[in-house]
PDB file of all heavy atoms in Angstrom:
ATOM      1  N   PRO S 299       0.310   9.211 -25.809  1.00 63.00           N
ATOM      2  CA  PRO S 299       1.594   8.733 -25.305  1.00 63.00           C
ATOM      3  C   PRO S 299       2.687   9.728 -25.284  1.00 63.00           C
ATOM      4  O   PRO S 299       2.670  10.713 -26.096  1.00 63.00           O
ATOM      5  CB  PRO S 299       1.935   7.591 -26.331  1.00 63.00           C
ATOM      6  CG  PRO S 299       0.665   7.191 -26.893  1.00 63.00           C
ATOM      7  CD  PRO S 299      -0.211   8.429 -26.902  1.00 63.00           C
ATOM      8  N   LYS S 300       3.649   9.611 -24.389  1.00 58.00           N
ATOM      9  CA  LYS S 300       4.696  10.614 -24.211  1.00 58.00           C
ATOM     10  C   LYS S 300       5.542  10.816 -25.485  1.00 58.00           C
ATOM     11  O   LYS S 300       6.203  11.831 -25.597  1.00 58.00           O
ATOM     12  CB  LYS S 300       5.565  10.273 -22.979  1.00 58.00           C
ATOM     13  CG  LYS S 300       4.811  10.331 -21.695  1.00 58.00           C
ATOM     14  CD  LYS S 300       5.690  10.041 -20.545  1.00 58.00           C
ATOM     15  CE  LYS S 300       4.925  10.059 -19.210  1.00 58.00           C
ATOM     16  NZ  LYS S 300       5.787   9.711 -18.070  1.00 58.00           N
ATOM     17  N   ALA S 301       5.592   9.828 -26.356  1.00 53.00           N
ATOM     18  CA  ALA S 301       6.416   9.969 -27.558  1.00 53.00           C
ATOM     19  C   ALA S 301       5.798  10.938 -28.519  1.00 53.00           C
ATOM     20  O   ALA S 301       6.468  11.384 -29.459  1.00 53.00           O
ATOM     21  CB  ALA S 301       6.589   8.574 -28.218  1.00 53.00           C
ATOM     22  N   SER S 302       4.533  11.272 -28.403  1.00 68.00           N
ATOM     23  CA  SER S 302       3.880  12.131 -29.356  1.00 68.00           C
ATOM     24  C   SER S 302       4.208  13.523 -29.110  1.00 68.00           C
ATOM     25  O   SER S 302       4.001  14.128 -28.060  1.00 68.00           O
ATOM     26  CB  SER S 302       2.341  11.954 -29.248  1.00 68.00           C
ATOM     27  OG  SER S 302       1.983  10.601 -29.514  1.00 68.00           O
ATOM     28  N   LYS S 303       4.803  14.241 -30.160  1.00 83.00           N
ATOM     29  CA  LYS S 303       5.095  15.681 -30.152  1.00 83.00           C
ATOM     30  C   LYS S 303       4.265  16.341 -31.197  1.00 83.00           C
ATOM     31  O   LYS S 303       4.254  15.996 -32.351  1.00 83.00           O
ATOM     32  CB  LYS S 303       6.555  15.904 -30.467  1.00 83.00           C
ATOM     33  CG  LYS S 303       7.565  15.234 -29.491  1.00 83.00           C
ATOM     34  CD  LYS S 303       7.405  15.765 -28.055  1.00 83.00           C
ATOM     35  CE  LYS S 303       8.366  15.083 -27.151  1.00 83.00           C
ATOM     36  NZ  LYS S 303       8.181  15.541 -25.744  1.00 83.00           N
ATOM     37  N   PRO S 304       3.442  17.327 -30.756  1.00 88.00           N
ATOM     38  CA  PRO S 304       2.335  17.857 -31.629  1.00 88.00           C
ATOM     39  C   PRO S 304       2.920  18.894 -32.633  1.00 88.00           C
ATOM     40  O   PRO S 304       4.009  19.492 -32.413  1.00 88.00           O
ATOM     41  CB  PRO S 304       1.419  18.474 -30.664  1.00 88.00           C
ATOM     42  CG  PRO S 304       2.245  18.889 -29.472  1.00 88.00           C
ATOM     43  CD  PRO S 304       3.339  17.843 -29.396  1.00 88.00           C
ATOM     44  N   PHE S 305       2.138  19.161 -33.647  1.00 91.00           N
ATOM     45  CA  PHE S 305       2.285  20.325 -34.531  1.00 91.00           C
ATOM     46  C   PHE S 305       1.141  21.258 -34.212  1.00 91.00           C
ATOM     47  O   PHE S 305      -0.033  20.831 -34.288  1.00 91.00           O
ATOM     48  CB  PHE S 305       2.263  19.853 -35.972  1.00 91.00           C
ATOM     49  CG  PHE S 305       2.412  21.000 -36.975  1.00 91.00           C
ATOM     50  CD1 PHE S 305       3.602  21.360 -37.508  1.00 91.00           C
ATOM     51  CD2 PHE S 305       1.315  21.784 -37.288  1.00 91.00           C
ATOM     52  CE1 PHE S 305       3.748  22.408 -38.421  1.00 91.00           C
ATOM     53  CE2 PHE S 305       1.380  22.870 -38.216  1.00 91.00           C
ATOM     54  CZ  PHE S 305       2.606  23.166 -38.739  1.00 91.00           C
ATOM     55  N   ILE S 306       1.426  22.497 -33.873  1.00 91.00           N
ATOM     56  CA  ILE S 306       0.420  23.444 -33.489  1.00 91.00           C
ATOM     57  C   ILE S 306       0.608  24.736 -34.255  1.00 91.00           C
ATOM     58  O   ILE S 306       1.704  25.294 -34.325  1.00 91.00           O
ATOM     59  CB  ILE S 306       0.503  23.754 -31.960  1.00 91.00           C
ATOM     60  CG1 ILE S 306       0.347  22.482 -31.165  1.00 91.00           C
ATOM     61  CG2 ILE S 306      -0.486  24.732 -31.520  1.00 91.00           C
ATOM     62  CD1 ILE S 306       1.327  22.386 -30.045  1.00 91.00           C
ATOM     63  N   TYR S 307      -0.486  25.176 -34.879  1.00 93.00           N
ATOM     64  CA  TYR S 307      -0.526  26.525 -35.489  1.00 93.00           C
ATOM     65  C   TYR S 307      -1.672  27.266 -34.837  1.00 93.00           C
ATOM     66  O   TYR S 307      -2.823  26.766 -34.811  1.00 93.00           O
ATOM     67  CB  TYR S 307      -0.708  26.466 -36.994  1.00 93.00           C
ATOM     68  CG  TYR S 307      -1.200  27.764 -37.558  1.00 93.00           C
ATOM     69  CD1 TYR S 307      -0.352  28.841 -37.725  1.00 93.00           C
ATOM     70  CD2 TYR S 307      -2.558  27.885 -37.938  1.00 93.00           C
ATOM     71  CE1 TYR S 307      -0.838  30.027 -38.233  1.00 93.00           C
ATOM     72  CE2 TYR S 307      -3.040  29.098 -38.443  1.00 93.00           C
ATOM     73  CZ  TYR S 307      -2.145  30.169 -38.574  1.00 93.00           C
ATOM     74  OH  TYR S 307      -2.636  31.389 -39.109  1.00 93.00           O
ATOM     75  N   MET S 308      -1.464  28.418 -34.376  1.00 92.00           N
ATOM     76  CA  MET S 308      -2.521  29.242 -33.711  1.00 92.00           C
ATOM     77  C   MET S 308      -2.377  30.734 -34.133  1.00 92.00           C
ATOM     78  O   MET S 308      -1.240  31.218 -34.279  1.00 92.00           O
ATOM     79  CB  MET S 308      -2.441  29.132 -32.173  1.00 92.00           C
ATOM     80  CG  MET S 308      -2.907  27.863 -31.647  1.00 92.00           C
ATOM     81  SD  MET S 308      -2.980  27.846 -29.851  1.00 92.00           S
ATOM     82  CE  MET S 308      -3.444  26.176 -29.454  1.00 92.00           C
ATOM     83  N   SER S 309      -3.497  31.283 -34.373  1.00 91.00           N
ATOM     84  CA  SER S 309      -3.587  32.707 -34.689  1.00 91.00           C
ATOM     85  C   SER S 309      -4.515  33.427 -33.756  1.00 91.00           C
ATOM     86  O   SER S 309      -5.703  33.068 -33.746  1.00 91.00           O
ATOM     87  CB  SER S 309      -4.002  32.925 -36.175  1.00 91.00           C
ATOM     88  OG  SER S 309      -4.166  34.339 -36.400  1.00 91.00           O
ATOM     89  N   LEU S 310      -3.973  34.292 -32.915  1.00 89.00           N
ATOM     90  CA  LEU S 310      -4.795  34.988 -31.857  1.00 89.00           C
ATOM     91  C   LEU S 310      -5.021  36.391 -32.348  1.00 89.00           C
ATOM     92  O   LEU S 310      -4.089  37.070 -32.837  1.00 89.00           O
ATOM     93  CB  LEU S 310      -4.132  34.956 -30.500  1.00 89.00           C
ATOM     94  CG  LEU S 310      -4.406  33.846 -29.544  1.00 89.00           C
ATOM     95  CD1 LEU S 310      -3.722  32.562 -30.053  1.00 89.00           C
ATOM     96  CD2 LEU S 310      -3.969  34.134 -28.124  1.00 89.00           C
ATOM     97  N   VAL S 311      -6.272  36.866 -32.196  1.00 88.00           N
ATOM     98  CA  VAL S 311      -6.612  38.234 -32.515  1.00 88.00           C
ATOM     99  C   VAL S 311      -7.138  38.845 -31.250  1.00 88.00           C
ATOM    100  O   VAL S 311      -8.114  38.392 -30.696  1.00 88.00           O
ATOM    101  CB  VAL S 311      -7.629  38.294 -33.683  1.00 88.00           C
ATOM    102  CG1 VAL S 311      -7.983  39.768 -33.959  1.00 88.00           C
ATOM    103  CG2 VAL S 311      -7.059  37.666 -34.959  1.00 88.00           C
ATOM    104  N   LEU S 312      -6.506  39.917 -30.819  1.00 87.00           N
ATOM    105  CA  LEU S 312      -6.943  40.647 -29.592  1.00 87.00           C
ATOM    106  C   LEU S 312      -7.046  42.120 -29.913  1.00 87.00           C
ATOM    107  O   LEU S 312      -6.423  42.631 -30.875  1.00 87.00           O
ATOM    108  CB  LEU S 312      -6.009  40.443 -28.437  1.00 87.00           C
ATOM    109  CG  LEU S 312      -5.735  39.048 -27.903  1.00 87.00           C
ATOM    110  CD1 LEU S 312      -4.562  38.365 -28.678  1.00 87.00           C
ATOM    111  CD2 LEU S 312      -5.428  39.059 -26.425  1.00 87.00           C
ATOM    112  N   PRO S 313      -7.756  42.880 -29.114  1.00 83.00           N
ATOM    113  CA  PRO S 313      -7.736  44.341 -29.298  1.00 83.00           C
ATOM    114  C   PRO S 313      -6.308  44.821 -29.102  1.00 83.00           C
ATOM    115  O   PRO S 313      -5.576  44.376 -28.196  1.00 83.00           O
ATOM    116  CB  PRO S 313      -8.647  44.836 -28.177  1.00 83.00           C
ATOM    117  CG  PRO S 313      -9.515  43.686 -27.871  1.00 83.00           C
ATOM    118  CD  PRO S 313      -8.766  42.480 -28.079  1.00 83.00           C
ATOM    119  N   SER S 314      -5.837  45.739 -29.973  1.00 78.00           N
ATOM    120  CA  SER S 314      -4.497  46.127 -29.938  1.00 78.00           C
ATOM    121  C   SER S 314      -4.112  46.747 -28.600  1.00 78.00           C
ATOM    122  O   SER S 314      -2.918  46.683 -28.205  1.00 78.00           O
ATOM    123  CB  SER S 314      -4.198  47.124 -31.074  1.00 78.00           C
ATOM    124  OG  SER S 314      -5.146  48.201 -31.026  1.00 78.00           O
ATOM    125  N   GLU S 315      -5.062  47.386 -27.891  1.00 79.00           N
ATOM    126  CA  GLU S 315      -4.718  47.944 -26.627  1.00 79.00           C
ATOM    127  C   GLU S 315      -4.526  46.926 -25.535  1.00 79.00           C
ATOM    128  O   GLU S 315      -4.039  47.237 -24.447  1.00 79.00           O
ATOM    129  CB  GLU S 315      -5.837  48.902 -26.240  1.00 79.00           C
ATOM    130  CG  GLU S 315      -7.221  48.344 -26.041  1.00 79.00           C
ATOM    131  CD  GLU S 315      -8.019  48.314 -27.296  1.00 79.00           C
ATOM    132  OE1 GLU S 315      -7.408  48.566 -28.391  1.00 79.00           O
ATOM    133  OE2 GLU S 315      -9.233  48.157 -27.240  1.00 79.00           O
ATOM    134  N   HIS S 316      -4.826  45.641 -25.858  1.00 78.00           N
ATOM    135  CA  HIS S 316      -4.598  44.540 -24.828  1.00 78.00           C
ATOM    136  C   HIS S 316      -3.250  43.895 -25.092  1.00 78.00           C
ATOM    137  O   HIS S 316      -2.968  42.889 -24.396  1.00 78.00           O
ATOM    138  CB  HIS S 316      -5.740  43.493 -24.924  1.00 78.00           C
ATOM    139  CG  HIS S 316      -7.034  44.041 -24.444  1.00 78.00           C
ATOM    140  ND1 HIS S 316      -8.120  43.232 -24.391  1.00 78.00           N
ATOM    141  CD2 HIS S 316      -7.434  45.246 -24.056  1.00 78.00           C
ATOM    142  CE1 HIS S 316      -9.189  43.952 -23.936  1.00 78.00           C
ATOM    143  NE2 HIS S 316      -8.755  45.206 -23.720  1.00 78.00           N
ATOM    144  N   VAL S 317      -2.458  44.314 -26.057  1.00 79.00           N
ATOM    145  CA  VAL S 317      -1.218  43.683 -26.347  1.00 79.00           C
ATOM    146  C   VAL S 317      -0.082  44.719 -26.226  1.00 79.00           C
ATOM    147  O   VAL S 317      -0.104  45.783 -26.789  1.00 79.00           O
ATOM    148  CB  VAL S 317      -1.191  43.105 -27.753  1.00 79.00           C
ATOM    149  CG1 VAL S 317       0.110  42.407 -28.027  1.00 79.00           C
ATOM    150  CG2 VAL S 317      -2.367  42.211 -27.955  1.00 79.00           C
ATOM    151  N   ASP S 318       0.916  44.385 -25.392  1.00 74.00           N
ATOM    152  CA  ASP S 318       2.112  45.259 -25.238  1.00 74.00           C
ATOM    153  C   ASP S 318       3.212  44.587 -26.098  1.00 74.00           C
ATOM    154  O   ASP S 318       3.756  43.547 -25.791  1.00 74.00           O
ATOM    155  CB  ASP S 318       2.590  45.326 -23.779  1.00 74.00           C
ATOM    156  CG  ASP S 318       3.712  46.261 -23.592  1.00 74.00           C
ATOM    157  OD1 ASP S 318       4.165  46.883 -24.559  1.00 74.00           O
ATOM    158  OD2 ASP S 318       4.137  46.453 -22.455  1.00 74.00           O
ATOM    159  N   VAL S 319       3.517  45.272 -27.253  1.00 69.00           N
ATOM    160  CA  VAL S 319       4.448  44.662 -28.206  1.00 69.00           C
ATOM    161  C   VAL S 319       5.918  45.115 -27.873  1.00 69.00           C
ATOM    162  O   VAL S 319       6.832  44.570 -28.462  1.00 69.00           O
ATOM    163  CB  VAL S 319       4.121  45.096 -29.684  1.00 69.00           C
ATOM    164  CG1 VAL S 319       2.781  44.519 -30.006  1.00 69.00           C
ATOM    165  CG2 VAL S 319       4.121  46.630 -29.792  1.00 69.00           C
ATOM    166  N   ASN S 320       6.057  46.006 -26.952  1.00 62.00           N
ATOM    167  CA  ASN S 320       7.406  46.595 -26.674  1.00 62.00           C
ATOM    168  C   ASN S 320       7.997  45.983 -25.404  1.00 62.00           C
ATOM    169  O   ASN S 320       8.305  46.710 -24.491  1.00 62.00           O
ATOM    170  CB  ASN S 320       7.225  48.159 -26.533  1.00 62.00           C
ATOM    171  CG  ASN S 320       8.559  48.840 -26.563  1.00 62.00           C
ATOM    172  OD1 ASN S 320       9.550  48.395 -27.128  1.00 62.00           O
ATOM    173  ND2 ASN S 320       8.654  49.926 -25.761  1.00 62.00           N
ATOM    174  N   VAL S 321       8.134  44.633 -25.419  1.00 64.00           N
ATOM    175  CA  VAL S 321       8.729  43.977 -24.259  1.00 64.00           C
ATOM    176  C   VAL S 321       9.959  43.162 -24.568  1.00 64.00           C
ATOM    177  O   VAL S 321      10.546  42.605 -23.681  1.00 64.00           O
ATOM    178  CB  VAL S 321       7.652  43.103 -23.546  1.00 64.00           C
ATOM    179  CG1 VAL S 321       6.481  43.868 -23.047  1.00 64.00           C
ATOM    180  CG2 VAL S 321       7.198  42.002 -24.548  1.00 64.00           C
ATOM    181  N   HIS S 322      10.361  43.177 -25.868  1.00 63.00           N
ATOM    182  CA  HIS S 322      11.558  42.389 -26.199  1.00 63.00           C
ATOM    183  C   HIS S 322      12.331  43.052 -27.286  1.00 63.00           C
ATOM    184  O   HIS S 322      11.745  43.630 -28.232  1.00 63.00           O
ATOM    185  CB  HIS S 322      11.070  40.971 -26.746  1.00 63.00           C
ATOM    186  CG  HIS S 322      12.184  39.974 -26.768  1.00 63.00           C
ATOM    187  ND1 HIS S 322      13.027  39.862 -27.859  1.00 63.00           N
ATOM    188  CD2 HIS S 322      12.636  39.029 -25.950  1.00 63.00           C
ATOM    189  CE1 HIS S 322      13.875  38.924 -27.712  1.00 63.00           C
ATOM    190  NE2 HIS S 322      13.665  38.369 -26.539  1.00 63.00           N
ATOM    191  N   PRO S 323      13.655  43.087 -27.233  1.00 61.00           N
ATOM    192  CA  PRO S 323      14.427  43.830 -28.293  1.00 61.00           C
ATOM    193  C   PRO S 323      14.184  43.383 -29.693  1.00 61.00           C
ATOM    194  O   PRO S 323      14.134  44.226 -30.574  1.00 61.00           O
ATOM    195  CB  PRO S 323      15.888  43.523 -27.857  1.00 61.00           C
ATOM    196  CG  PRO S 323      15.797  43.163 -26.384  1.00 61.00           C
ATOM    197  CD  PRO S 323      14.540  42.492 -26.203  1.00 61.00           C
ATOM    198  N   THR S 324      13.955  42.113 -29.884  1.00 59.00           N
ATOM    199  CA  THR S 324      13.637  41.607 -31.218  1.00 59.00           C
ATOM    200  C   THR S 324      12.203  41.399 -31.491  1.00 59.00           C
ATOM    201  O   THR S 324      11.835  40.774 -32.519  1.00 59.00           O
ATOM    202  CB  THR S 324      14.400  40.282 -31.484  1.00 59.00           C
ATOM    203  OG1 THR S 324      13.900  39.311 -30.558  1.00 59.00           O
ATOM    204  CG2 THR S 324      15.916  40.466 -31.242  1.00 59.00           C
ATOM    205  N   LYS S 325      11.356  41.886 -30.605  1.00 65.00           N
ATOM    206  CA  LYS S 325       9.896  41.751 -30.756  1.00 65.00           C
ATOM    207  C   LYS S 325       9.455  40.282 -30.804  1.00 65.00           C
ATOM    208  O   LYS S 325       8.415  39.975 -31.412  1.00 65.00           O
ATOM    209  CB  LYS S 325       9.389  42.525 -31.962  1.00 65.00           C
ATOM    210  CG  LYS S 325       9.659  44.015 -31.906  1.00 65.00           C
ATOM    211  CD  LYS S 325       9.345  44.716 -33.225  1.00 65.00           C
ATOM    212  CE  LYS S 325      10.406  44.340 -34.262  1.00 65.00           C
ATOM    213  NZ  LYS S 325      10.203  45.062 -35.552  1.00 65.00           N
ATOM    214  N   ARG S 326      10.301  39.387 -30.237  1.00 69.00           N
ATOM    215  CA  ARG S 326       9.929  37.945 -30.310  1.00 69.00           C
ATOM    216  C   ARG S 326       8.819  37.569 -29.359  1.00 69.00           C
ATOM    217  O   ARG S 326       8.118  36.595 -29.547  1.00 69.00           O
ATOM    218  CB  ARG S 326      11.194  37.131 -29.939  1.00 69.00           C
ATOM    219  CG  ARG S 326      11.098  35.639 -30.232  1.00 69.00           C
ATOM    220  CD  ARG S 326      12.362  34.947 -29.950  1.00 69.00           C
ATOM    221  NE  ARG S 326      12.799  35.068 -28.572  1.00 69.00           N
ATOM    222  CZ  ARG S 326      13.978  34.717 -28.149  1.00 69.00           C
ATOM    223  NH1 ARG S 326      14.874  34.185 -28.951  1.00 69.00           N
ATOM    224  NH2 ARG S 326      14.329  34.847 -26.850  1.00 69.00           N
ATOM    225  N   GLU S 327       8.669  38.376 -28.319  1.00 72.00           N
ATOM    226  CA  GLU S 327       7.659  38.123 -27.290  1.00 72.00           C
ATOM    227  C   GLU S 327       6.783  39.351 -27.115  1.00 72.00           C
ATOM    228  O   GLU S 327       7.170  40.451 -27.424  1.00 72.00           O
ATOM    229  CB  GLU S 327       8.241  37.765 -25.943  1.00 72.00           C
ATOM    230  CG  GLU S 327       9.143  36.513 -25.962  1.00 72.00           C
ATOM    231  CD  GLU S 327       9.855  36.281 -24.656  1.00 72.00           C
ATOM    232  OE1 GLU S 327       9.610  37.049 -23.752  1.00 72.00           O
ATOM    233  OE2 GLU S 327      10.618  35.311 -24.577  1.00 72.00           O
TER     234      GLU S 327
END
Side-chain angles (χ1 to χ4, degrees):
K300 294 182 180 179
S302 299
K303 300 298 182 182
F305 179 96
I306 302 138
Y307 161 75
M308 288 186 183
S309 175
L310 272 72
V311 178
L312 300 90
S314 54
E315 60 270 17
H316 291 184
V317 184
D318 186 358
V319 297
N320 191 31
V321 296
H322 194 276
T324 62
K325 298 171 288 184
R326 189 176 63 187
E327 299 174 4

